[in-house]
Amino acid sequence: MNSSSFVAIDNISKSEILELLERARYFEEHPNSKILDGRVVATLFFEPSTRTRLSFETAVNRLGGRVIGFSDASTSSTSKGETLKDTIKMVSNYADIIVMRHFLEGAAQYATEVTDVPIVNAGDGANQHPSQTMLDLYSIRKTQGKLEGLTITMVGDLKYGRTVHSLLMAMRHFKPVFNFVSSPQLKMPEEYINICRKEGIEFHEFTEFSEDVINSSDILYMTRVQRERFSDIMEYEKVKNLYTLHNSMLANSKPTLRILHPLPRVNEIDYDVDDNPKAYYFEQARNGVFARQAILTKVLGIDPLKKN
């Protein structure tokens, strides 16, 4: 096991989060260098991905490293019955670091137990998505000027949404107020509600996506209802279009409100929102390159400030 792996946001302290955000700021100002020259990064995506995979690969390329791996598990030996353990141990022979997305919760943690090569979790089932959280935090601090004391409204799939789970775990260090807006079927899991209670974090649960909730928010974090997490397609059909943000709903929101979304979107943000200056989800995706450059260099023990 490599202790420098980046698997769960709850294993990262407040000071480590702030250090990673400073690294991300540095990389936004200096995106191109050769500090990963000679390093090989394996990207193993057992689930489909666009932004996460491409931003990790862009991060590596801009830092002078090389990328190997696959974006479709059906093209790997997994399709022949190879176990996750064997895949990880085999790829460990070729790479300095493994970035992995997997459909099973806990897969990234398991991978750390079968290799000495550091693992970066690019999403494991409905569990966590810690690299997305770092770019979310970077986007929040960049747009709000701070992380402390913000009201964050999370809307949509709070049950299976690994991005909201990870964001909650990270933001607990910064005294937020949470609004959870979802159907009863997709409410925030009790384990995360209990964390809020234990940490003394103020939270409110709503089934209605009202303008009062929007108007009280500093950050509006929209999520899609994830069809791939439902075993019963009829249950998905009942909840898939419950919450849609329209531009008219933002008329009385705070001037500093910013709308985030991990993407891809389906119907939860209308296209008429895109031209509103409060829409930040495309810039948020761009921030993913800087956040992931920060993560990769941290995990590999490279200090960019000392390399330049």
Side-chain angles (χ1 to χ4, degrees), residues 3-18:
S3 60
S4 65
S5 291
F6 189 83
V7 170
I9 205 73
D10 33 315
N11 295 335
I12 302 170
S13 69
K14 180 178 179 179
S15 62
E16 289 172 319
I17 287 172
L18 294 174

Side-chain angles (χ1 to χ4, degrees), residues 34-245:
K34 294 295 183 183
I35 61 175
L36 291 190
D37 188 29
R39 304 296 185 109
V40 176
V41 178
T43 55
L44 310 184
F45 279 73
F46 295 86
E47 268 192 331
S49 172
T50 301
R51 279 148 298 278
T52 301
R53 180 176 63 84
L54 291 180
S55 63
F56 264 117
E57 293 183 0
T58 300
V60 175
N61 284 316
R62 286 196 178 277
L63 296 179
R66 294 175 180 256
V67 177
I68 62 171
F70 54 80
S71 59
D72 182 352
S74 67
T75 65
S76 74
S77 291
T78 302
S79 64
K80 302 175 184 177
E82 183 172 70
T83 64
L84 177 60
K85 177 182 178 179
D86 285 0
T87 298
I88 295 298
K89 291 185 78 67
M90 181 273 297
V91 174
S92 297
N93 293 319
Y94 311 139
D96 299 293
I97 183 172
I98 296 173
V99 177
M100 186 178 80
R101 168 171 287 189
H102 203 280
F103 51 85
L104 291 177
E105 295 182 24
Q109 179 60 43
Y110 173 75
T112 69
E113 296 168 4
V114 298
T115 182
D116 291 328
V117 171
I119 302 293
V120 174
N121 183 7
D124 59 332
N127 184 29
Q128 288 205 16
H129 196 349
S131 71
Q132 175 72 40
T133 301
M134 291 312 305
L135 75 92
D136 291 344
L137 293 175
Y138 187 66
S139 299
I140 292 169
R141 192 170 76 165
K142 187 174 173 181
T143 61
Q144 304 300 309
K146 63 178 183 177
L147 290 173
E148 299 281 351
L150 298 173
T151 297
I152 298 178
T153 297
M154 300 175 171
V155 184
D157 184 354
L158 308 188
K159 179 178 181 180
Y160 299 114
R162 58 193 173 198
T163 61
V164 292
H165 300 162
S166 291
L167 184 57
L168 183 152
M169 293 303 293
M171 284 301 301
R172 77 190 195 277
H173 298 297
F174 302 101
K175 298 181 174 59
V177 174
F178 286 123
N179 293 323
F180 301 137
V181 181
S182 71
S183 66
Q185 302 98 311
L186 295 176
K187 70 188 296 288
M188 184 65 73
E190 198 63 27
E191 64 184 285
Y192 294 104
I193 295 295
N194 288 336
I195 287 168
C196 288
R197 292 188 177 117
K198 180 180 177 182
E199 300 280 344
I201 296 169
E202 182 180 346
F203 69 93
H204 310 276
E205 296 183 276
F206 302 93
T207 56
E208 181 184 356
F209 188 26
S210 71
E211 291 188 31
D212 286 343
V213 172
I214 293 171
N215 296 345
S216 71
S217 303
D218 297 300
I219 293 293
L220 189 56
Y221 198 98
M222 302 296 298
T223 67
R224 80 183 163 93
V225 177
Q226 302 172 80
R227 181 175 181 173
E228 62 269 28
R229 306 294 178 210
F230 285 77
S231 57
D232 185 342
I233 193 62
M234 295 306 296
E235 286 300 309
Y236 168 75
E237 291 293 330
K238 289 178 186 176
V239 298
K240 68 176 183 178
N241 292 323
L242 280 181
Y243 306 110
T244 301
L245 179 66

